[in-house]
Amino acid sequence: MDNFFSDNPDILWHFEHLELDEIIANAEDDFAQASRFDDAPASAADAREGYRAVLDMLGAIAAQEIAPLAAEVDLEGAHFEHGKVSYARGTQRALDILSRTSLMGFTLPREYGGLNMPGVLYTMATEIVSQADASLMNLFGLQDIAETIREFASEEQKARYLPKFASGEVTGAMILTEPDAGSDLQAVRLKAVAQPDGAWKLYGVKRFITNGCGDVSLVLARTEDGSTDGRGLSMLLCEKCPELVVRRIEHKLGIHGSPTCELQFNGVPAELVGQRRMGLIRYVMSLMNGARVAIAAQSIGIAQAAYEEALKYARERAQFKKRIIEFPQVYDMLARMKSSLLAARAITYEASRLVDLRRVYEHRMAKAPGEDVRAGLKEISAFAGVLTPIAKAYASEMCNQVAYDAIQIHGGTGFMRDFNVERLARDARITSIYEGTTQLQVIGALPGVTSGTLGRFLDALAAGAIPAGLSELAALCGEARAHLARALTHLKTADDKTYLDYTARPLIDMASEALAAHLFLRQAVRDAGRALHAEKYIRDAMPRIRMRAEIVTSGDRLTIEKHAELM
Ligand SMILES: Cc1cc2nc3c(=O)[nH]c(=O)nc-3n(C[C@H](O)[C@H](O)[C@H](O)COP(=O)(O)OP(=O)(O)OC[C@H]3O[C@@H](n4cnc5c(N)ncnc54)[C@H](O)[C@@H]3O)c2cc1C
């Protein structure tokens, strides 16, 4: 591929079919920005052409300039010497290119030097960068920090920092995790002490912080003395300074280009972002939700790269006097890899589009609140709230499976460092761990599935006329909805919290596959050219959906009751 955007038919299909008009009009203040900024579009069509040009440029840079550096970056890794972190040479070069081409402020408003693009296009961009070098995405993806400042910081803070993020002059870090507070961020202990002048100082230790050496960081810290849960946590902003010490960087399995730091805060000067006590409950949840969509996109990028490598190898490699791609077990693996990759992309772009749509409703609420706008905002927020963890869980697990299969298709060669799939499988492994493990995404998706929110979303996707040729697939989607409803009825009737937690994974896996099936069906309804991929996915998914429904409705409590003896 010479261009990771324009040479990828699936991304292009989504780009051309995304329902963006409302989102564009909202971002462009109904195109009033055109009178203030030379580069602002005058219409939705104009905006789309601009987005296409940006993604096309990024796609070319990613394929031709960043991807060739990835193996070298993996070998060299980030450096830590005399307390200072520096990037691998290839990482620095790639960052310089992205800054020079103004690609570090995708979603930031124009007044701060950003491109003012909808989040879903940033999601595409994240995927494109990740396909080239997954570890670079961890730095490119720090735009989420700027986005959080844009959403919650004061006007003065925004003016101070956002132009620097947009130009690439500064990089950031999202500093949440501590040795005893990983999945459970309510346990965060890092202490923020109020100073007489209204400023704050931070004391404590954080670990596993991507780019903890960054210039501007958002830190989750305990501002309320004596508190022990999330309500005592606030979000603070600090800059790189002598009191903020990088103790070490981690030696990791993958994403070697991305420095992962352990940090010691020795009275680091900091300032509050937004309101006290809202750090975890509001701001970090928002930051992490953005980052979860970004990790879903990173997963898709890695999987795309692994799939391309596997396809190429299977076409070239011969055994038993045949190309291995001609063996049914091999082409079946490749077809499944591609199908699950397309499913993850469909779910992730939909989740990202819903987050954009939520912003449209938030603006409407601010401008002209009304009962229908309020109801719309509530519904869209609920949809975004359930699709986001599903996207992260589905895409990251898919990515690991695709990378695993890509090595399998390479045989022994895939186990060797000389081949890209070895690096891709190592890079893939982190995606289902950071920004909340798959288990935590399952917990995050559970309320939206058990409350019936996802069911309503599926009903909406299934509504409308179905062309005759798709009636069988539509019937299978109907069957998937019925299995989901049956599972939920069983869980409600059982009213057993432990059983619900125990069956949460098969329930969410079933819900995720039902969602993907419906998104494929909708694609096929809109474009007959998508029908084959829809058929492949839905036919493959149905037996798994039936099996998971059986697990959830079995009422089998053996492992719950005997787990101590079974382990
Ligand atoms: C390379 C890398 C980069 C990172 N970057 C950042 C960063 O930039 N900023 C930041 O703040 N953090 C970062 N992290 C931290 C990351 O988000 C955490 O590692 C992750 O959230 C998991 O926390 P933990 O490692 O403490 O695992 P634990 O929370 O100890 O989890 C261990 C296991 O228990 C399971 N588990 C825990 N609770 C439950 C539950 N209630 N139900 C079911 N299972 C459960 C988990 O799924 C997991 O399998 C990074 C981590 C890595 C490895």
Side-chain angles (χ1 to χ4, degrees):
M1 271 194 193
D2 288 335
N3 188 312
F4 288 166
F5 172 67
S6 56
D7 291 346
N8 184 325
D10 193 51
I11 299 188
L12 276 183
W13 189 90
H14 282 284
F15 180 80
E16 273 148 22
H17 290 82
L18 273 173
E19 292 165 28
L20 279 183
D21 286 359
E22 265 183 303
I23 292 165
I24 296 172
N26 181 64
E28 296 299 334
D29 301 329
D30 290 322
F31 305 101
Q33 292 206 18
S35 59
R36 288 171 50 215
F37 299 98
D38 289 346
D39 58 340
S43 66
D46 202 7
R48 278 178 185 268
E49 276 321 296
Y51 302 157
R52 186 190 291 276
V54 170
L55 289 173
D56 199 45
M57 176 171 72
L58 178 66
I61 290 172
Q64 295 167 31
E65 303 197 47
I66 299 176
L69 302 170
E72 203 53 46
V73 166
D74 177 59
L75 267 182
E76 184 183 334
H79 305 275
F80 182 63
E81 273 163 359
H82 311 300
K84 293 238 174 316
V85 180
S86 55
Y87 301 133
R89 278 162 300 177
T91 306
Q92 190 56 59
R93 211 169 121 203
L95 281 174
D96 291 344
I97 296 170
L98 292 172
S99 301
R100 227 179 24 245
T101 45
S102 304
L103 292 169
M104 291 303 280
F106 249 80
T107 55
L108 287 179
R110 290 191 185 85
E111 56 259 46
Y112 301 119
L115 296 173
N116 200 42
M117 285 170 66
V120 65
L121 296 159
Y122 171 55
T123 300
M124 287 183 175
T126 305
E127 178 192 328
I128 289 167
V129 169
S130 308
Q131 185 180 344
D133 178 354
S135 72
L136 183 67
M137 174 275 162
N138 288 82
L139 306 173
F140 179 78
L142 293 170
Q143 295 187 37
D144 280 325
I145 290 161
E147 192 51 38
T148 305
I149 293 175
R150 187 192 72 77
E151 204 165 343
F152 300 115
S154 67
E155 292 305 319
E156 188 277 321
Q157 287 169 322
K158 290 185 213 178
R160 194 157 20 116
Y161 291 112
L162 294 186
K164 293 182 183 169
F165 273 103
S167 66
E169 186 187 331
V170 297
T171 62
M174 173 178 82
I175 305 185
L176 316 175
T177 304
E178 297 178 6
D180 292 322
S183 299
D184 179 13
L185 287 173
Q186 302 217 35
V188 156
R189 285 213 301 239
L190 186 118
K191 205 168 161 53
V193 180
Q195 304 300 298
D197 62 356
W200 295 80
K201 285 199 172 169
L202 305 176
Y203 298 88
V205 174
K206 294 276 185 182
R207 74 164 179 178
F208 296 168
I209 306 303
T210 299
N211 204 45
C213 51
D215 307 282
V216 180
S217 300
L218 294 178
V219 186
L220 185 64
R222 195 160 290 284
T223 47
E224 312 308 313
D225 243 358
S227 66
T228 51
D229 63 12
R231 288 167 297 182
L233 299 173
S234 303
M235 188 157 79
L236 292 106
L237 184 151
C238 71
E239 293 186 17
K240 194 177 195 168
C241 62
E243 294 85 355
L244 179 49
V245 178
V246 180
R247 293 214 294 215
R248 52 187 238 122
I249 64 171
E250 306 293 341
H251 298 285
K252 309 191 295 285
L253 178 67
I255 53 163
H256 289 164
S258 163
T260 308
C261 305
E262 185 173 292
L263 301 172
Q264 168 91 43
F265 289 72
N266 297 327
V268 173
E271 55 191 287
L272 202 61
V273 174
Q275 291 171 8
R276 267 169 90 155
R277 296 168 177 267
M278 299 304 274
L280 181 63
I281 299 162
R282 177 129 192 252
Y283 311 137
V284 166
M285 284 325 288
S286 165
L287 174 61
M288 276 180 54
N289 279 334
R292 283 171 179 173
V293 173
I295 302 304
Q298 182 183 42
S299 307
I300 300 166
I302 297 171
Q304 181 74 43
Y307 169 74
E308 301 283 345
E309 295 285 346
L311 183 65
K312 182 164 169 285
Y313 189 82
R315 282 180 175 146
E316 287 166 359
R317 172 76 173 163
Q319 284 292 280
F320 301 98
K321 300 193 174 56
K322 266 185 173 180
R323 302 281 151 203
I324 61 168
I325 200 167
E326 292 170 44
F327 295 120
Q329 290 195 60
V330 175
Y331 64 63
D332 179 48
M333 248 192 286
L334 283 161
R336 282 174 193 271
M337 287 159 81
K338 176 146 179 191
S339 186
S340 60
L341 172 55
L342 300 191
R345 187 175 282 128
I347 294 175
T348 302
Y349 288 1
E350 187 64 11
S352 190
R353 194 187 69 86
L354 286 167
V355 173
D356 282 333
L357 204 53
R358 180 173 62 198
R359 183 163 286 168
V360 174
Y361 276 86
E362 282 166 356
H363 283 188
R364 282 186 193 153
M365 266 306 276
K367 278 203 300 206
E371 224 14 78
D372 52 337
V373 183
R374 191 185 310 278
L377 174 59
K378 197 171 161 213
E379 190 72 334
I380 296 292
S381 300
F383 289 159
V386 66
L387 259 71
T388 297
I390 285 181
K392 162 72 164 73
Y394 185 88
S396 60
E397 295 293 334
M398 172 284 297
C399 164
N400 275 283
Q401 185 63 50
V402 166
Y404 177 96
D405 289 343
I407 289 189
Q408 195 66 20
I409 287 170
H410 280 71
T413 310
F415 197 61
M416 305 304 160
R417 287 236 146 156
D418 315 341
F419 278 72
N420 286 334
V421 283
E422 180 267 347
R423 166 172 51 85
L424 293 166
R426 285 187 287 105
D427 287 350
R429 193 61 194 87
I430 188 60
T431 59
S432 56
I433 295 173
Y434 60 11
E435 295 308 342
T437 61
T438 296
Q439 288 69 31
L440 268 287
Q441 305 307 317
V442 166
I443 291 172
L446 206 52
V449 172
T450 53
S451 65
T453 299
L454 187 76
R456 284 201 305 284
F457 190 69
L458 299 185
D459 288 342
L461 286 174
I466 299 288
L470 295 175
S471 55
E472 191 195 331
L473 294 187
L476 289 173
C477 284
E479 187 194 330
R481 289 198 303 284
H483 285 305
L484 185 59
R486 187 163 61 88
L488 293 179
T489 304
H490 179 92
L491 292 168
K492 202 167 169 197
T493 312
D495 193 21
D496 177 344
K497 170 82 172 68
T498 309
Y499 187 76
L500 175 65
D501 288 348
Y502 173 66
T503 52
R505 180 70 188 269
L507 178 72
I508 299 304
D509 283 348
M510 170 171 56
S512 308
E513 295 224 275
L515 171 62
H518 282 73
L519 291 170
F520 270 116
L521 177 66
R522 189 179 63 166
Q523 289 180 16
V525 168
R526 297 177 74 185
D527 176 357
R530 304 290 286 186
L532 181 61
H533 285 306
E535 185 175 353
K536 166 73 182 153
Y537 184 85
I538 295 170
R539 282 191 191 283
D540 279 359
M542 280 317 295
R544 295 191 294 264
I545 289 174
R546 291 181 193 121
M547 176 194 74
R548 286 173 179 137
E550 196 174 320
I551 292 171
V552 175
T553 56
S554 70
D556 179 1
R557 298 186 99 262
L558 178 73
T559 309
I560 296 173
E561 274 147 26
K562 301 280 181 203
H563 64 272
E565 292 95 316
L566 286 168
M567 288 187 299

